[in-house]
């Protein structure tokens, strides 16, 4: 299935009052958010704020207890991960999700075969079109010289680059990046920042990241979560000067207690 064509200023991803409960704990509490086509949005907050759970709800790996999720104005709340990917949703994971025994090019092939490519058991290296696409993706994430190397032989930073490549391999309209700089050295973080900033403008980005250099270097708008709820949203400048955000991060005051089931 081909993903819809996005237009500038189009509301490409919209979530309405979504909630997720784990027993008596509300991990995501009536969160609403709208993201425009081509926007680069960051989602930040302290540990346990509900950011990754929200990502999983958007991607479809978890189901909401309440609320709705729209992608290109289509209600995908109950759609599968595969159906959302077919509409143009790609993502990376906070914890590495790679097959270590595969090579870089085999990993990228597995990510792009959803575009009508054949079974991974069938050869593709003799097909110039498919090989060229794999190489273009590898180039975008700085792995051109590593395509024949097994994933287990890559550095941690290179594995993160590969995860980014796998997230964008299928030409998604929206990419969810869950802490792409986690565990990286200062030099590797700078490299990752450059790769993310150089993504095509037509790719809409939703980024979860603790590294504020990356957040401020990429995001045009920032949404701040705390204890499952959105407490602030605005430009990087507005968020940096927001008193409530400062209180949450500095911990000077006791923000509202977690929501519990009645």
């Amino acid at each position: 299935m081909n993903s819809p064509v996005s237009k500038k200023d189009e509301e490409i991803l919209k979530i309405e009052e979504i909630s997720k409960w784990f027993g008596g704990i509300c991990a995501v509490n009536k969160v609403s958010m709208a993201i425009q086509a081509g926007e680069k949005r960051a989602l930040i907050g302290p540990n346990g704020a509900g950011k990754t759970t929200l990502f999983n709800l958007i991607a479809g790996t978890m189901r909401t207890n309440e609320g709705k999720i729209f992608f290109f104005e289509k209600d995908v709340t109950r759609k599968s991960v595969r159906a959302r990917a077919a509409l143009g949703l790609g993502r990376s994971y906070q914890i590495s999700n790679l097959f270590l025994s595969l090579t870089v090019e085999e990993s990228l092939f597995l990510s792009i075969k959803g575009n009508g490519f054949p079974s991974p058991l069938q050869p593709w290296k003799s097909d110039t079109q498919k090989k060229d696409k794999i190489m273009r993706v590898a180039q975008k994430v700085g792995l051109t010289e590593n395509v024949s190397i097994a994933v287990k032989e890559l550095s941690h930073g290179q594995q993160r680059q590969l995860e980014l490549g796998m997230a964008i391999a299928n030409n998604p309209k929206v990419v969810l990046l869950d802490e792409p700089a986690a565990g990286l050295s200062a030099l590797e973080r700078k490299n990752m920042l450059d790769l993310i900033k150089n993504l095509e403008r037509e790719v809409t980005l939703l980024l979860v990241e603790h590294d504020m250099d990356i957040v401020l270097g990429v995001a045009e708008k920032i949404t701040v979560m705390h204890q499952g709820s959105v407490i602030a949203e605005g430009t990087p400048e507005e968020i940096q000067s927001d008193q409530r955000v400062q209180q949450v991060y500095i911990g000077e005051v006791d923000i509202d207690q977690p929501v519990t089931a009645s």
Side-chain angles (χ1 to χ4, degrees):
M1 180 187 297
N2 293 326
S3 59
V5 176
S6 58
K7 301 176 183 178
K8 188 178 180 181
D9 299 327
E10 178 184 8
E11 206 169 70
I12 194 170
L13 176 64
K14 183 178 182 180
I15 57 180
E16 294 182 345
E17 298 272 305
I18 63 173
S19 297
K20 180 64 179 180
W21 292 80
F22 297 101
I25 301 297
C26 188
V28 173
N29 182 30
K30 296 187 180 300
V31 169
S32 295
M33 182 167 56
I35 299 177
Q36 306 296 317
E39 182 181 339
K40 288 181 169 55
R41 175 77 65 93
L43 184 64
I44 68 172
N47 289 331
K51 305 182 298 296
T52 294
T53 300
L54 180 59
F55 254 41
N56 289 331
L57 296 173
I58 295 172
T61 54
M62 288 182 182
R63 289 286 183 259
T64 63
N65 294 119
E66 300 174 343
K68 292 186 176 181
I69 302 170
F70 296 90
F71 190 45
F72 283 106
E73 299 183 346
K74 296 179 181 292
D75 186 346
V76 298
T77 310
R78 300 300 167 195
K79 298 292 186 181
S80 67
V81 173
R82 186 181 182 90
R84 298 182 201 204
L87 285 172
L89 187 66
R91 74 163 293 179
S92 70
Y93 292 83
Q94 182 179 11
I95 299 173
S96 182
N97 197 35
L98 300 172
F99 294 101
L100 298 181
S101 61
L102 297 182
T103 65
V104 168
E105 59 185 347
E106 288 169 341
S107 299
L108 293 174
F109 175 71
L110 285 177
S111 294
I112 62 180
K113 76 184 187 71
N115 271 359
F117 284 14
S119 164
L121 297 178
Q122 298 178 15
W124 75 91
K125 294 182 180 181
S126 59
D127 188 314
T128 302
Q129 183 178 0
K130 296 177 179 62
K131 179 71 173 180
D132 285 350
K133 182 166 186 178
I134 290 171
M135 293 303 295
R136 285 197 302 272
V137 176
Q139 183 178 26
K140 289 179 181 180
V141 295
L143 292 175
T144 304
E145 297 180 0
N146 304 95
V147 289
S148 299
I149 294 178
V151 173
K152 62 185 176 183
E153 296 177 7
L154 298 176
S155 68
H156 178 63
Q158 289 170 330
Q159 289 182 357
R160 284 294 185 179
Q161 290 168 233
L162 176 58
E163 288 171 332
L164 176 60
M166 294 174 69
I168 66 173
N170 240 352
N171 299 320
K173 295 299 180 183
V174 177
V175 176
L176 311 179
L177 298 182
D178 194 355
E179 297 197 32
L184 301 187
S185 67
L187 181 60
E188 289 171 333
R189 288 198 301 273
K190 182 181 182 304
N191 184 41
M192 181 60 69
L193 172 59
D194 291 339
L195 293 175
I196 295 173
K197 287 174 68 174
N198 288 330
L199 290 177
E200 286 87 347
R201 184 66 197 183
E202 59 264 26
V203 175
T204 304
L205 176 66
L206 179 57
L207 167 76
V208 164
E209 183 55 66
H210 284 291
D211 188 321
M212 292 306 295
D213 287 337
I214 289 183
V215 170
L216 297 176
V218 171
E220 299 159 338
K221 194 171 183 179
I222 298 174
T223 300
V224 186
M225 291 186 68
H226 179 65
Q227 295 181 339
S229 299
V230 172
I231 64 167
E233 193 168 85
T235 65
E237 294 76 16
E238 291 169 338
I239 294 302
Q240 286 178 291
S241 62
D242 188 288
Q243 184 178 4
R244 185 172 172 83
V245 174
Q246 293 174 0
Q247 290 171 340
V248 165
Y249 274 94
I250 297 173
E252 292 179 342
V253 298
D254 183 20
I255 305 299
D256 299 338
Q257 294 299 311
V259 179
T260 56
S262 57

